[in-house]
Amino acid sequence: MVQLIDGRKAAQTVNEATKQRVKLLKQRGIIPGLAVVLVGHNQASERYVRMKEKQAQKLGIYSVLKQLPEDISEVALLEIISVLNHDDRINAILVQSPLPAHLDETKVIATIDPNKDVDGFHPVNVGKLYLNLPGPYPVACTPRGVMTLLEFNQIPVKGANVVMIGKSSIVGKPLAALLLNAGATVSVLHSQTRDRQDFLKTADIVISAVGKAHFLNDADFQPQTTVIDVGQNLDENGQLVGDVDYPTEPTNIRSITPVPGGVGPMTIATLMQQTVEMSEWGL
């Protein structure tokens, strides 16, 4: 039987620690605050934001949702972010992606105060990550959650050959940086990569963030490979699946994160964890 890497169990441990930190902060009169900005009515984004709000309430975090119309002007959106930058109740700001096409996402992210950029996407925070500077500073939540999941399951990263499939600024690039900083040898594969199998057949850990259902299967890996599946896809039956299709008794996959129940819970747990940390930085 394939060993499943339980993201829900790891997330529960992170959330319990976060809840205790919130409790201690409240004893000092401090309530961590998270603001989520949601533009339009993307169903997936709305569902994800509801999950964030629910978890924040469970943990005692002050949560604000700014749900804005699809046709909001860029000037108006930037003004809302500026107000949140100066709101002392808010320690962390998240602008939910994707944004409507008429909005410049790069400009929107750059408007967030780097010290409140809980997603870790601001150029200042990205630069600190790539330079491996000492913290504290926020790091992209999904990549940080993956690193926590690997540590929680005692999967060694230092010295490991890791293949990262996908070079997005949300997952692939920051996760590659975290892995390099942790001592792994990292190959980043993407749509222009030739001879993908040559990389996969030497990998100890493969992380897929492609966003294509059944993009990989057990035969693509070498024996005893650990697979982290970041994919969130709907199959032909409307079921949520990852990038990797595998049998109950695979030949090559030693352990894998299921979808759902793998990386997803860690992303939200890390968002809450980082929000609380950011409320502590100025103390």
Side-chain angles (χ1 to χ4, degrees), residues 128-200:
K128 288 178 178 179
L129 171 62
Y130 272 81
L131 291 172
N132 197 20
L133 297 182
Y137 50 86
V139 175
C141 294
T142 296
R144 183 179 173 185
V146 168
M147 296 299 290
T148 302
L149 196 54
L150 291 168
E151 182 180 6
F152 185 83
N153 287 274
Q154 300 180 326
I155 298 167
V157 171
K158 188 175 183 179
N161 289 328
V162 181
V163 168
M164 177 74 238
I165 308 179
K167 61 174 184 176
S168 75
S169 299
I170 296 173
V171 179
K173 289 178 181 177
L175 185 45
L178 285 169
L179 290 161
L180 283 169
N181 294 346
T185 298
V186 184
S187 300
V188 180
L189 278 54
H190 47 82
S191 61
Q192 304 304 310
T193 300
R194 293 177 293 178
D195 303 320
R196 184 176 70 214
Q197 291 300 323
D198 292 346
F199 294 92
L200 293 174

Side-chain angles (χ1 to χ4, degrees), residues 19-66:
K19 190 174 183 178
Q20 291 305 311
R21 291 168 80 171
V22 172
K23 185 177 180 180
L24 291 173
L25 285 168
K26 286 185 175 181
Q27 290 174 0
R28 302 172 61 180
I30 300 166
I31 302 176
L34 169 66
V36 177
V37 179
L38 176 61
V39 181
H41 296 283
N42 180 289
Q43 287 187 352
S45 293
E46 288 180 330
R47 182 170 61 251
Y48 188 43
V49 165
R50 284 196 299 270
M51 291 169 65
K52 292 173 182 176
E53 281 199 296
K54 184 177 180 180
Q55 191 60 47
Q57 291 169 3
K58 281 185 179 180
L59 299 178
I61 294 170
Y62 171 61
S63 179
V64 174
L65 172 60
K66 298 285 187 181

Side-chain angles (χ1 to χ4, degrees), residues 245-264:
D245 188 26
Y246 58 94
T248 305
E249 298 186 9
T251 301
N252 297 320
I253 297 174
R254 178 179 62 184
S255 56
I256 187 168
T257 54
V259 179
V263 174

